[in-house]
Amino acid sequence: MINEKDLTEIVERVIEELEKEESREAVDQAVKREAKSNNDEIVDITDVDLKKQFLVDNPENREAFLKLKESTSARLGVGRAGPRYKTETLLRFRADHAAAMDAVFTDVSDQLIDDMNLFKVKTLCRDKDEYLKRPDLGKKFSDETLAEISNKCEKNPQVQIYAADGLSSTAVEANLKDIFPAIKQGLEGYNIKIGTPFFVQYGRVASMEPIAKCLNAKVCCVLIGERPGLATAESLSCYMAYDAEIGMPESKRNVISNIHADGTPAVEAGAHIADVIKAMLEQKTSGLDLDI
Amino acid sequence: MNLKTRLFGEVFSFDSVKEVLGKANEEKSGDQLAKTAAESVTERIAAKTVLSNLLLADLRNHPVVPYEEDEVTRVIQDDMNEKIYAEIKNWTAAELREWILDDKIRGSDIKRISRGLSSEMIAAVTKLMSDLDLIYAAKKINITAHCNTTIGREGTLAMRLQPNHPTDDIDGIMPSVMEGFSYGNGDAVLGLNPVNDGVSNVENILKHFDEFKNKWEIPTQISVLAHISTQMKAVKNGAPIDMFFQSIAGSEKGNEAFGVDVELLTEARELALKEGTSAGPNVMYFETGQGSELSSDAHHSADQLTMEARCYGLAKRFEPFLVNTVVGFIGPEYLYDGKQMIRAGLEDHFMGKLSGISMGVDCCYTNHMKTDQNDVEKLAVLLANAGCNYFIGVPVGDDVMLNYQAAGYHDAQAVREVVGLRPIREFEEWLKKMGLMKNGRLTSKAGDPSIFLNSNGVK
């Protein structure tokens, strides 16, 4: 049996230890705060998982609402400053919109095009503004450009693959290096031959039509940046068609969209795309008629 | 009819009323894409000058799509009041503008004359107005409509609560509903754009909305914005619907692209009156937007503003509770930037009111337009001053399903306070009862969506 004196000593020792522990924590925190202020480090607001954030002051049922919030990416439970947004909410919205706008209004870097041994051509659009205003010009090329494509590319390929900026250069930058080798590997596994890849600036989906005709490609496939949302600016789409014709209906094209790290990852999408292309070559058709 | 004028001594002449209407438009990328726009600013003003001298009869007699070819033209022309038209047919477009702006002319006078106007006349006078003209003139006209509650009373601003979800997951939709109501949104309508247009999905969401509305005794309307034929099937299966929604265009061909015609809309309205859950009599909800006709190659070489005016001429026949122009939704090839978006919002709102319909605006933009949330807020404040019936509200302005940005839930209260407006009366009483609003101001409880929950989830 332990006597009362011993017990008191033990309790006092434990309390002492705990106090030390607490003060050690406090010191650690103070050190961290100091280090942070020394580095002038402000947290990256885009790192915050919005689904887990709840900014309402004195809510009635925080946990119950957070549980519901797991089921949506909508910006909920944000609280308010008067009838306006809290600063954090406002800045996060602006940051996400900034990423989306930059994806649209910047260009794919020459570095990426060089790294992937591509050559670059333009549609009839002179600049980004014209590209956005004139969807009709984003699917056409000058005769000189078509001659250049024809000179630099292998003719009559089974599959012609190329990339275009579309509405998100960021999507091309984020995915092209992963998706292109994945498609190539998939097709090589099926003994399907790919033509010479290249890059189209200011390109719309239907730019595949004159390209397919110019090179006499059986299947034509464009990897193109999607219109960015606030959730991601990195989403890429792959549009494919068999025997593409100028002015063909949309229903003759197949698309695999939502290719990005949080959607279908590029490597996985590449394998899927190879399967669709194989089906097109076997069934000699595409779009709604394709059985996959 | 004179289609020629001189400006600074230079002669500008035009081939048709349609060309004058097109070139008299303020700059819009969609008119440039359609090749209906003026080639220079001077030509634009020359076209406005010619337009200002056209008689209202000239405009009626030259609809941009011929009467024989197009049922929208027929609806507009057949529904005009001939006595009133006869009184004003020899007015010029300029005289109509000045009459509307005249100090002695009240909203009730304008509403009467409105019955003698064709959509081309409404488009013409709009093209002659500056932005402040559009605000001033619209402010005079109050258009009310009643479904379960009355929208459009002077001094009110309502909101559609838009709780969209990328997969229609009801567990993800409902927290958006709760948040919206906690900020005083949802007095115009609780309305969701579904991803999946299937009948059972639409029925399921309607049932959840109806349940929530009844449980909390919210005086408002509900809608799921599927294709109208889907909603009709849902109602026939017993789903609760307060009104029918449909997107419409300003030409028969444009409506074909939406899969509707006048006959179907007529049938839907009769069904809503017979099988709908609301008091009525206004049981229709339409959405429009400049450029939608061009996007389906159904614009008949007319400019996008005139085509938009024709949507309202068509909508009017069905006495809608709500008409909403989704002003910046279809992208920069129609409205390039914030300036064009704001102008189009003011134009559409004025044209809707002059057409005699209950008009709201989705102040919005896509991420490939050169604009941002500040322009949405500006347009909202301008329109609230112009007496707009309602806006669309989404959580923090970010619609996670349609991937565009609109006004936010928070904007409702801020705009109401700044401009001196209130929610729809019955709805404000409900907000008071819930302890969310007092004397027109938010209480400390407002903005807490979890008041609709208990620790086990939904109360």
Side-chain angles (χ1 to χ4, degrees):
Chain A
M1 277 290 282
I2 193 164
N3 67 30
E4 195 181 319
K5 191 172 167 250
D6 287 345
L7 187 64
T8 310
E9 268 179 27
I10 291 169
V11 170
E12 274 170 4
R13 256 204 327 271
V14 169
I15 288 172
E16 215 176 276
E17 282 300 311
L18 276 174
E19 275 170 0
K20 265 192 219 157
E21 194 68 32
E22 263 177 34
S23 62
R24 210 176 296 138
E25 266 176 31
V27 169
D28 282 353
Q29 274 173 8
V31 169
K32 273 185 202 154
R33 262 202 310 275
E34 193 58 28
K36 203 168 163 183
S37 67
N38 279 345
N39 294 340
D40 262 347
E41 194 184 303
I42 297 171
V43 291
D44 183 340
I45 53 171
T46 64
D47 279 344
V48 176
D49 181 355
L50 293 179
K51 281 192 177 180
K52 298 200 167 75
Q53 193 184 50
F54 194 69
L55 301 175
V56 177
D57 302 322
N58 310 312
E60 286 190 16
N61 288 290
R62 171 191 298 272
E63 295 312 316
F65 193 79
L66 270 170
K67 190 157 184 344
L68 277 182
K69 237 186 93 145
E70 286 169 12
S71 305
T72 181
S73 46
R75 293 166 202 246
L76 300 173
V78 295
R80 55 197 184 86
R84 303 306 296 151
Y85 304 120
K86 294 196 172 189
T87 310
E88 188 178 346
T89 307
L90 179 68
L91 291 176
R92 177 62 185 270
F93 176 95
R94 292 301 302 269
D96 291 339
H97 183 238
M101 286 206 85
D102 285 345
V104 175
F105 290 98
T106 56
D107 291 318
V108 169
S109 67
D110 287 335
Q111 184 68 49
L112 177 75
I113 293 163
D114 290 347
D115 287 352
M116 297 203 57
N117 292 318
L118 305 176
F119 68 94
K120 176 164 121 181
V121 295
K122 274 185 204 176
T123 60
L124 289 183
C125 301
R126 283 165 301 187
D127 52 37
K128 211 70 157 191
D129 282 344
E130 187 167 62
Y131 172 69
L132 292 169
K133 286 182 183 173
R134 293 290 303 271
D136 54 328
L137 298 182
K139 54 188 181 185
K140 289 179 188 156
F141 299 93
S142 69
D143 291 342
E144 294 76 37
T145 306
L146 286 175
E148 184 189 349
I149 293 172
S150 179
N151 286 335
K152 290 187 177 164
C153 293
E154 197 181 314
K155 309 292 181 310
N156 314 314
Q158 273 183 296
V159 183
Q160 176 62 47
I161 302 176
Y162 70 99
D165 45 5
L167 290 170
S168 175
S169 298
T170 308
V172 175
E173 295 274 354
N175 297 294
L176 196 61
K177 276 188 176 168
D178 292 326
I179 198 166
F180 186 69
I183 302 173
K184 202 173 161 202
Q185 196 186 0
L187 291 175
E188 279 167 359
Y190 297 131
N191 282 320
I192 295 168
K193 292 205 179 62
I194 310 176
T196 317
F198 56 94
F199 175 75
V200 173
Q201 191 177 24
Y202 312 136
R204 299 263 171 188
V205 170
S207 63
M208 68 159 59
E209 295 162 10
I211 287 172
K213 247 180 119 50
C214 158
L215 294 173
N216 193 31
K218 273 291 141 207
V219 171
C220 197
C221 166
V222 55
L223 300 162
I224 189 165
E226 286 175 17
R227 191 183 98 194
L230 291 198
T232 180
E234 294 189 349
S235 195
L236 190 80
S237 279
C238 174
Y239 285 84
M240 296 159 275
Y242 185 85
D243 266 348
E245 293 274 350
I246 288 173
M248 66 193 277
E250 289 304 317
S251 59
K252 293 293 281 181
R253 278 190 259 270
N254 293 78
V255 60
I256 291 168
S257 59
N258 209 25
I259 302 168
H260 59 97
D262 298 324
T264 307
V267 174
E268 196 182 307
H272 186 29
I273 290 164
D275 288 344
V276 174
I277 291 173
K278 178 171 174 263
M280 285 182 178
L281 288 167
E282 282 168 0
Q283 297 173 38
K284 299 189 192 313
T285 188
S286 59
L288 292 176
D289 297 335
L290 189 72
D291 188 12
I292 35 174
Chain B
M1 192 169 70
N2 193 344
L3 297 180
K4 195 164 78 173
T5 189
R6 278 180 300 129
L7 217 55
F8 304 108
E10 190 187 340
V11 175
F12 292 88
S13 73
F14 306 94
D15 292 333
S16 64
V17 171
K18 194 196 281 194
E19 187 189 350
V20 173
L21 280 167
K23 292 191 167 172
N25 243 5
E26 293 298 310
E27 184 177 354
K28 309 265 175 62
S29 51
D31 291 330
Q32 288 161 345
L33 181 61
K35 301 190 170 68
T36 60
E39 308 248 323
S40 66
V41 187
T42 319
E43 191 190 23
R44 175 172 304 126
I45 307 308
K48 282 183 196 281
T49 309
V50 168
L51 184 61
S52 73
N53 283 288
L54 288 180
L55 299 181
L56 299 187
D58 297 330
L59 290 157
R60 180 175 194 190
N61 296 334
H62 297 86
V64 294
V65 193
Y67 184 91
E68 300 72 27
E69 280 176 33
D70 186 270
E71 66 173 10
V72 175
T73 306
R74 291 196 286 277
V75 167
I76 293 164
Q77 300 262 345
D78 294 352
D79 288 0
M80 285 170 64
N81 178 298
E82 297 297 338
K83 286 267 161 32
I84 297 170
Y85 168 70
E87 290 171 26
I88 59 172
K89 66 180 184 185
N90 290 322
W91 291 9
T92 63
E95 282 168 334
L96 176 60
R97 174 181 171 277
E98 290 175 11
W99 181 86
I100 292 170
L101 295 171
D102 193 300
D103 306 302
K104 292 188 289 296
I105 299 306
R106 292 165 306 167
S108 53
D109 301 319
I110 299 173
K111 276 201 254 188
R112 178 176 175 275
I113 287 297
S114 160
R115 301 188 58 219
L117 297 177
S118 74
S119 299
E120 279 79 0
M121 299 175 201
I122 290 170
V125 73
T126 302
K127 288 159 196 271
L128 297 178
M129 290 211 177
S130 74
D131 289 6
L132 186 52
D133 293 351
L134 293 171
I135 294 168
Y136 183 83
K139 175 80 175 171
K140 286 192 184 190
I141 312 166
N142 280 308
I143 310 284
T144 59
H146 191 275
C147 187
N148 290 322
T149 58
T150 306
I151 199 167
R153 283 208 182 98
E154 203 170 351
T156 62
L157 171 65
M159 297 292 288
R160 167 178 159 196
L161 195 171
Q162 181 169 299
N164 292 346
H165 187 277
T167 61
D168 293 341
D169 176 0
I170 200 76
D171 288 342
I173 292 169
M174 292 317 289
S176 285
V177 172
M178 294 169 195
E179 177 117 344
F181 280 122
S182 78
Y183 281 97
N185 284 238
D187 45 350
V189 59
L190 165 60
L192 175 120
N193 299 86
V195 179
N196 171 353
D197 204 76
V199 179
S200 61
N201 180 52
V202 171
E203 279 181 60
N204 180 43
I205 299 165
L206 281 167
K207 280 178 192 155
H208 276 90
F209 283 3
D210 192 53
E211 225 176 86
F212 193 85
K213 184 183 85 170
N214 291 334
K215 181 174 178 176
W216 294 97
E217 300 175 323
I218 311 173
T220 188
Q221 307 44 239
I222 62 169
S223 175
V224 173
L225 288 74
H227 191 270
I228 200 161
S229 55
T230 309
Q231 298 166 74
M232 289 165 79
K233 282 180 201 148
V235 165
K236 286 174 186 162
N237 291 346
I241 270 189
D242 288 330
M243 58 188 160
F244 280 129
F245 162 83
Q246 181 56 46
S247 291
I248 55 168
S251 70
E252 187 176 332
K253 197 179 169 199
N255 285 320
E256 236 169 68
F258 285 132
V260 294
D261 57 19
V262 172
E263 194 188 335
L264 181 64
L265 295 174
T266 308
E267 193 191 320
R269 179 160 185 264
E270 281 163 13
L271 183 66
L273 289 169
K274 204 170 162 56
E275 302 286 343
T277 34
S278 62
N282 306 108
V283 292
M284 299 296 278
Y285 172 12
F286 296 121
E287 283 191 352
T288 65
Q290 289 192 27
S292 69
E293 294 82 8
L294 175 59
S295 74
S296 57
D297 194 25
H299 61 298
H300 297 268
S301 305
D303 66 277
Q304 62 190 35
L305 182 147
T306 305
M307 294 311 284
E308 181 72 9
R310 292 165 53 89
C311 294
Y312 307 148
L314 172 63
K316 188 181 178 179
R317 170 171 286 189
F318 303 96
E319 299 174 35
F321 180 68
L322 308 169
V323 178
N324 176 42
T325 172
V326 193
V327 75
F329 184 67
I330 58 174
E333 57 268 48
Y334 305 96
L335 296 170
Y336 188 63
D337 54 15
K339 184 181 162 81
Q340 294 186 12
M341 184 260 284
I342 288 172
R343 173 72 193 182
L346 295 176
E347 289 169 343
D348 292 357
H349 174 251
F350 167 71
M351 293 199 295
K353 281 196 158 184
L354 188 55
S355 302
I357 53 177
S358 163
M359 198 65 200
V361 178
D362 188 357
C363 308
C364 66
Y365 60 102
T366 60
N367 286 323
H368 56 326
M369 277 169 73
K370 272 202 170 150
T371 180
D372 59 28
Q373 203 67 15
N374 288 325
D375 285 330
V376 161
E377 293 178 2
K378 266 178 240 161
L379 178 56
V381 171
L382 292 174
L383 284 168
N385 278 290
C388 186
N389 279 10
Y390 73 102
F391 301 136
I392 304 289
V394 299
V396 194
D398 173 17
D399 188 304
V400 294
M401 192 284 270
L402 294 170
N403 271 324
Y404 79 125
Q405 287 83 246
Y409 289 157
H410 290 62
D411 296 346
Q413 183 60 21
V415 173
R416 282 169 182 156
E417 277 187 44
V418 166
V419 184
L421 301 168
R422 293 293 186 87
I424 287 178
R425 194 191 298 149
E426 304 92 310
F427 189 80
E428 184 176 344
E429 277 160 20
W430 176 79
L431 290 170
K432 267 192 241 166
K433 189 181 87 183
M434 291 293 293
L436 294 167
M437 187 175 267
K438 201 178 170 188
N439 302 324
R441 308 293 282 262
L442 296 180
T443 64
S444 59
K445 217 174 152 184
D448 177 10
S450 73
I451 59 166
F452 297 103
L453 299 169
N454 61 28
S455 50
N456 301 321
V458 182
K459 266 184 192 166

